[in-house]
Amino acid sequence: MMTNPDRREGSNFIPLVINFAQREMAARYKRSLLGWLWSLLNPASTVLIYSLVFGVFLRTEPPETANGQAEIFAVYLFTGLVVWNLFNGVINGSMDWLTGVMDLRKKAYFPTETAILGGAIAAIVQTCFEIAVLFVLMLALGNVSWTFLLLPFILLGAASFGLGIGLVVAILNARYRDVRYLIGIVLSLQFFLVPIVYPIGLLADPEVDEFGVPLTEPIDTYGLPAQEIVRWNPVSEFVQAAHDVVYFLEVPSLGRVAIMLVAATVSPALGLRYFRKRSMEISEEL
Amino acid sequence: MARTPPAISIDGVSKKFVLRADRASSIKEAFLRRNKTESKDFWALKDVSFDIPKGSFYGIIGHNGSGKSTLLRLTAGIHKPTTGSITTNGKISALLELGSGFHPDLTGRENVFLNGAMLGLPKKQMERAIDEITDFSGIGEFIDAPVKVYSSGMHVRLGFAIAVHVEPEILLVDEVLAVGDEAFQRKCFDHIYALRRRGTTIVLVSHDAGTMESLCDEVAWLDHGELQAVGEASPTIEMYLGRVNEQENKRLIAEAEAKELEALAETISVDDAERRGSGEIRITSVDLLGPDGSKRHSALSGDPLTIRLNYEAASKITHPVFGLGIYHENGTHLSGPNNRLAGVEQPVIPKGSGYVDVTVDRMPLLDGKYFITTGIYSADLLHCFDSWDRSNRLIVQPGSSEERYGMVEFGANWSEAVPN
């Protein structure tokens, strides 16, 4: 028995999620010469550009890897970038995935969150390629351990956290078209509030000698609690956890795991609640 | 006694649409006209309640804007009722409008899978059905072309092919079957009947009384968003038709009154009708009278009718012959009665005005539009005083006659089959 509007109960919408996911994957590189190769070339070019700017021009020093050999900025950058790309991709994509099915939804019933879920799955599939590249890279550097196996869970958590936010902004964007631009600004700011292009140690208080004199000059943050902002940012936790398991080959701290767990569960739960409450209204706007 | 639950239960459903002149589409606009809401409420449905039994062929009838399509969209889940609830019991497939549920950029094949997925059917199951769907729709290789290049007929055919092949428990159909050629329509109905035999509940929305009566077991009649009647098809449709006729008559009266304001002598006369004759006596106007003697603006099929010919004689006329010609609007001459053929001789008509009544006990013409030609001839029929070709409209609406196809009531008696 299905009751309007809660007719989701008893209906199987998994095929629809799969359909949307397949379509998103097919559409992503349709009519492009290199096709799926782009999913590797895109992050590769990003890594190249950021490595050039931050690693070469600004001489950002990456922390040492677990085996203490490599100090390649590009590898450090790529590790964080994999997490960020997924998080960012899900939020930005959510707005497109919803607007992409609105016309269809006006003519036939289906829960629109399936389109966003399908899109998120497509984004996760693409991330799998990046994980593979990262693994090969680390293997070449001789910097691998079983902790690498934790990376997929961290990425799923980041995707889930992003999905919750994506569900909310998708609704807002369907209502006000300028939400997309606002989100773009917030996300580019957020990118630099997360230790991707710099090591978290950069913001830490400098080490002191036995007399309490700093060994290096502290960074001037103009009175902003930069360290706190970065530290208390949930996205930072996901990025740092990726650094932990891939770069330092450590198990993330319990506190970090707890924050990630909360972010990965509370965000989609609240997001879905909000989405379901508002999606009917959105589809009735003619 | 335990009853099977209805396929669809509509309980106190109202639906409000908010008509906004211009909707704020950016945050800036939303802030700027916070308090200036230029919105108007429109109630498409008002407190509608009825059940659609399982396995029935159910019709929802009403004129344009009666809310019947809105009700179907609510049932399909596209919109949410403002108040009340709709409970559905079974997998719903809906054929709501042209290209309903199609993504224009996807190919027909991709849309088949998408539509299946919307009903919760996995790709594998749809793969088994795709050939059958392609065959049924008859769109051939177009199945791999984007749906946006389809003709409207192809849209409907593919939509219907999908809708009936996903094995729905409830099928909602909104007048789309009117599209497509006769052969395809027949194929559709064959399939609908097959579904019905398997126990599928079918809900058809239409304003066409004929289709509804021939297909549906039960009918709900909506008017301006309010439920008027629910029940067996024939009596409910009759009530609906009664209302339609009443309104049509009102409209004609209103039209006629408007014409009177324009100082037209004849309320339903045709302006450019051809008129000839010497004019010693002339028809001034033609009135239609009901059995109670009141003026009417249309006739009812099978009901008594009087056609009153008002004349004006400029001088004394000896034994003239009054005649009528009845024409269908397509030009067919249906009948040509006159008083002499009826065995009645007119007296010597004095100078002045008067009238001649032509009365039928049963109006033999069926629902349609006709014209009346009037004529007055000399006693020897050689001289024409007045002949006015198709000067008046005769609008016939369904009345007490049971017949409905063609132009005239045959009035035959039928025997039961007599085996030899």
Side-chain angles (χ1 to χ4, degrees):
Chain A
M1 196 70 108
M2 306 189 295
T3 305
N4 209 345
D6 294 307
R7 55 175 67 224
R8 290 166 184 93
E9 267 83 53
S11 271
N12 177 15
F13 285 109
I14 293 167
L16 193 55
V17 174
I18 296 170
N19 189 294
F20 283 133
Q22 285 172 338
R23 215 165 87 197
E24 174 64 21
M25 282 186 266
R28 204 162 265 214
Y29 301 106
K30 205 177 170 182
R31 289 195 197 165
S32 70
L33 226 55
L34 299 176
W36 274 95
L37 220 54
W38 280 117
S39 59
L40 300 180
L41 290 176
N42 268 335
S45 62
T46 317
V47 168
L48 212 71
I49 293 162
Y50 283 132
S51 298
L52 195 70
V53 176
F54 294 98
V56 179
F57 297 164
L58 298 173
R59 300 190 191 268
T60 310
E61 297 255 325
E64 264 181 36
T65 56
N67 62 6
Q69 295 175 346
E71 281 191 26
I72 304 169
F73 180 73
V75 177
Y76 175 81
L77 178 70
F78 188 45
T79 308
L81 212 53
V82 172
V83 180
W84 174 259
N85 279 347
L86 182 57
F87 175 76
N88 182 55
V90 168
I91 294 177
N92 269 322
S94 294
M95 295 183 273
D96 296 330
W97 299 326
L98 181 62
T99 47
V101 296
M102 278 330 293
D103 276 340
L104 193 61
R105 177 60 184 78
K106 280 171 187 165
K107 290 189 266 174
Y109 173 76
F110 60 92
T112 33
E113 60 263 34
T114 51
I116 295 181
L117 264 146
I121 289 171
I124 289 168
V125 170
Q126 171 160 0
T127 303
C128 291
F129 285 86
E130 295 174 21
I131 296 174
V133 173
L134 189 62
F135 182 72
V136 171
L137 224 57
M138 285 302 178
L139 209 61
L141 294 172
N143 186 45
V144 276
S145 147
W146 70 271
T147 53
F148 196 96
L149 297 174
L150 297 174
L151 183 64
F153 297 101
I154 293 162
L155 286 166
L156 272 180
S160 177
F161 179 48
L163 182 68
I165 298 167
L167 285 167
V168 175
V169 299
I171 290 283
L172 294 175
N173 180 63
R175 180 73 182 76
Y176 302 109
R177 267 166 283 147
D178 39 13
V179 167
R180 177 187 308 276
Y181 307 109
L182 213 66
I183 296 299
I185 295 167
V186 172
L187 283 174
S188 32
L189 177 68
Q190 175 76 302
F191 177 77
F192 291 100
L193 293 180
V194 173
I196 298 168
V197 292
Y198 56 88
I200 186 78
L202 191 75
L203 294 171
D205 295 325
E207 285 176 46
V208 292
D209 61 15
E210 62 260 47
F211 305 109
V213 178
L215 290 170
T216 52
E217 210 176 305
I219 289 175
D220 186 3
T221 57
Y222 302 99
L224 283 171
Q227 201 184 326
E228 278 67 35
I229 292 173
V230 173
R231 193 146 288 161
W232 289 103
N233 186 343
V235 191
S236 287
E237 295 301 318
F238 287 102
V239 169
Q240 288 184 68
H243 287 146
D244 286 343
V245 301
V246 175
Y247 201 80
F248 303 116
L249 307 182
E250 289 166 358
V251 176
S253 72
L254 215 61
R256 182 160 292 166
V257 171
I259 292 173
M260 287 193 292
L261 266 178
V262 170
T265 50
V266 173
S267 158
L270 291 180
L272 201 60
R273 235 180 81 148
Y274 176 79
F275 189 92
R276 286 187 170 171
K277 216 169 83 187
R278 303 296 305 277
S279 61
M280 243 350 193
E281 297 166 27
I282 296 293
S283 69
E284 274 182 28
E285 263 164 35
L286 303 166
Chain B
M1 203 176 83
R3 287 183 65 229
T4 46
I8 300 166
S9 179
I10 295 157
D11 185 20
V13 167
S14 297
K15 178 68 189 171
K16 179 176 77 176
F17 285 108
V18 182
L19 308 173
R20 288 188 182 87
D22 192 15
R23 186 88 163 80
S25 59
S26 74
I27 296 171
K28 187 187 86 184
E29 282 176 54
F31 271 106
L32 284 179
R33 27 175 164 137
R34 198 96 219 218
N35 303 314
K36 286 186 279 172
T37 42
E38 305 158 39
S39 61
K40 225 171 87 187
D41 290 351
F42 168 70
W43 289 90
L45 289 170
K46 293 168 214 154
D47 194 27
V48 174
S49 297
F50 63 96
D51 284 352
I52 296 178
K54 214 165 213 176
S56 65
F57 203 131
Y58 208 94
I60 301 174
I61 201 165
H63 58 83
N64 289 334
S66 60
K68 56 191 193 307
S69 292
T70 303
L71 186 60
L72 209 64
R73 293 168 79 85
L74 290 176
T75 310
I78 294 173
H79 296 324
K80 194 171 72 174
T82 309
T83 60
S85 68
I86 297 180
T87 312
T88 55
N89 189 5
K91 187 170 69 188
I92 295 182
S93 180
L95 272 168
L96 293 188
E97 54 189 284
L98 266 181
S100 69
F102 286 151
H103 194 293
D105 293 330
L106 298 181
T107 67
R109 187 185 301 277
E110 285 165 332
N111 268 300
V112 170
F113 290 120
L114 176 63
N115 273 262
M118 285 200 279
L119 292 163
L121 302 176
K123 199 173 179 181
K124 271 204 184 119
Q125 195 174 331
M126 292 310 289
E127 264 161 8
R128 281 199 294 271
I130 185 107
D131 290 336
E132 215 178 314
I133 290 171
T134 314
D135 283 352
F136 186 89
S137 63
I139 60 171
E141 57 206 31
F142 273 95
I143 193 76
D144 288 312
V147 163
K148 63 183 167 198
V149 307
Y150 282 23
S151 68
S152 58
M154 288 158 80
H155 255 128
V156 174
R157 284 185 345 237
L158 185 62
F160 188 83
I162 295 171
V164 297
H165 280 90
V166 292
E167 286 160 24
E169 286 157 277
I170 299 170
L171 179 65
L172 309 177
V173 186
D174 190 357
E175 297 187 278
V176 285
L177 290 183
V179 191
D181 54 47
E182 198 112 330
F184 185 74
Q185 271 188 37
R186 198 168 311 133
K187 211 157 77 168
C188 289
F189 282 116
D190 284 349
H191 238 82
I192 283 185
Y193 284 124
L195 281 177
R196 201 191 164 181
R197 281 193 293 277
R198 272 182 266 158
T200 304
T201 309
I202 297 155
V203 183
L204 178 67
V205 156
S206 178
H207 60 256
D208 178 17
T211 318
M212 292 298 244
E213 195 167 8
S214 60
L215 290 174
C216 302
D217 310 321
E218 280 181 69
V219 167
W221 165 29
L222 287 173
D223 191 2
H224 290 97
E226 284 171 85
L227 189 66
Q228 305 295 314
V230 162
E232 264 184 58
S234 294
T236 314
I237 288 169
E238 219 152 88
M239 280 190 272
Y240 162 72
L241 284 178
R243 175 81 59 88
V244 170
N245 289 344
E246 201 179 291
Q247 280 167 350
E248 174 85 345
N249 209 28
K250 268 188 203 154
R251 191 181 63 75
L252 287 171
I253 288 170
E255 232 172 56
E257 276 166 1
K259 276 190 180 172
E260 264 164 32
L261 283 177
E262 288 166 28
L264 282 170
E266 287 88 14
T267 52
I268 44 176
S269 73
V270 179
D271 302 332
D272 56 353
E274 198 184 309
R275 193 166 197 176
R276 59 192 176 85
S278 54
E280 288 89 341
I281 180 167
R282 282 183 163 236
I283 297 289
T284 50
S285 67
V286 177
D287 293 325
L288 302 179
L289 306 178
D292 57 349
S294 66
K295 264 198 191 186
R296 294 187 55 88
H297 294 275
S298 66
L300 295 177
S301 191
D303 284 9
L305 180 76
T306 298
I307 300 171
R308 176 163 293 179
L309 308 173
N310 297 299
Y311 66 80
E312 175 84 48
S315 60
K316 193 173 80 176
I317 308 289
T318 327
H319 312 303
V321 177
F322 285 79
L324 286 178
I326 311 286
Y327 291 83
H328 188 256
E329 64 175 342
N330 69 9
T332 308
H333 188 183
L334 293 170
S335 183
N338 67 46
N339 58 269
R340 177 164 298 166
L341 290 174
V344 175
E345 285 298 325
Q346 295 295 352
V348 174
I349 292 177
K351 183 182 172 193
S353 62
Y355 64 83
V356 172
D357 277 349
V358 185
T359 302
V360 288
D361 297 334
R362 269 184 83 78
M363 179 62 183
L365 299 179
L366 297 180
D367 182 15
K369 290 186 178 121
Y370 304 85
F371 289 102
I372 297 175
T373 294
T374 55
I376 310 173
Y377 287 80
S378 62
D380 56 10
L381 295 176
L382 293 173
H383 179 75
C384 174
F385 294 119
D386 185 26
S387 172
W388 204 356
D389 188 33
R390 280 168 252 188
S391 56
N392 289 273
R393 283 180 214 281
L394 175 61
I395 291 161
V396 182
Q397 294 177 309
S400 57
S401 173
E402 297 294 327
E403 294 188 27
R404 62 177 36 152
Y405 306 108
M407 298 175 196
V408 294
E409 189 180 62
F410 198 59
N413 296 311
W414 289 72
S415 83
E416 282 175 21
V418 184
N420 288 320

